[in-house]
Amino acid sequence: MFRVVFYHPEIPPNTGNAIRLAANTGCELHLIEPLGFSLEDKYLRRAGLDYHDLAHVRVHADLAAAWRALAPERVFAFTTRGTRRYTDVRYAETDVLLFGPESTGLPDDVLADPMVTERLRLPMLPTSRSLNLTNTASIVVYEAWRQLDFAGS
């Protein structure tokens, strides 16, 4: 199933909610250090409820370590500076879906990483700055999963 990657996540409840997303959809959640919190954080635990044992979560020391572990064929980086909408892609279950930190999004060097296949965006009103990290990941995961006819559900 899809591999969701959070690069330097900062807010524990967002990652807790992503753990629930992974547990409910079968996707994997990969976290790239440094994290803005401890995995023992009470807010992370509360947001993830009792889903921690049902989710596949892995922490990587840096992006290079994640690429070695994931060996991705395609990496879609989500950014407000994306060139295509997330709905214009035909997803495969081995795709990597890459999201940046809550306060800044993905930095230029990550967006320029040769492993990144394409930069994608979610439409929003021009007066808006960004969507919540896990809300964005959820929207994308469910679109990708829908394209696979919700395989495994």
Side-chain angles (χ1 to χ4, degrees), residues 7-15 34-37 100-105 133:
Y7 178 84
H8 300 180
E10 300 165 328
I11 301 172
N14 280 337
T15 300
L35 309 180
F37 49 86
E102 292 89 341
S103 65
T104 60
L133 172 61

Side-chain angles (χ1 to χ4, degrees), residues 107-149:
D108 290 337
D109 63 317
V110 173
L111 289 170
D113 188 297
M115 293 300 293
V116 172
T117 306
E118 192 166 3
R119 300 174 187 185
L120 301 177
R121 64 182 172 80
L122 276 71
M124 58 185 169
L125 296 174
T127 55
S128 297
R129 202 181 65 201
S130 66
L131 291 167
N132 170 276
L133 172 61
T134 304
N135 289 349
T136 302
S138 297
I139 291 166
V140 174
V141 165
Y142 270 89
E143 170 58 20
W145 198 24
R146 181 196 66 79
Q147 289 182 13
L148 298 178
D149 200 28

Side-chain angles (χ1 to χ4, degrees), residues 14-70:
N14 280 337
T15 300
N17 286 328
I19 290 168
R20 290 176 73 176
L21 173 68
N24 282 292
T25 62
C27 67
E28 297 175 5
L29 178 61
H30 295 264
L31 306 174
I32 310 299
E33 292 181 320
L35 309 180
F37 49 86
S38 161
L39 290 177
E40 300 305 315
D41 189 290
K42 69 178 181 178
Y43 299 107
L44 173 82
R45 305 284 313 159
R46 185 175 357 179
L49 295 174
D50 56 349
Y51 291 96
H52 293 267
D53 295 337
L54 302 174
H56 178 88
V57 181
R58 186 160 174 201
V59 179
H60 304 276
D62 55 33
L63 193 55
W67 294 153
R68 285 190 300 275
L70 294 166

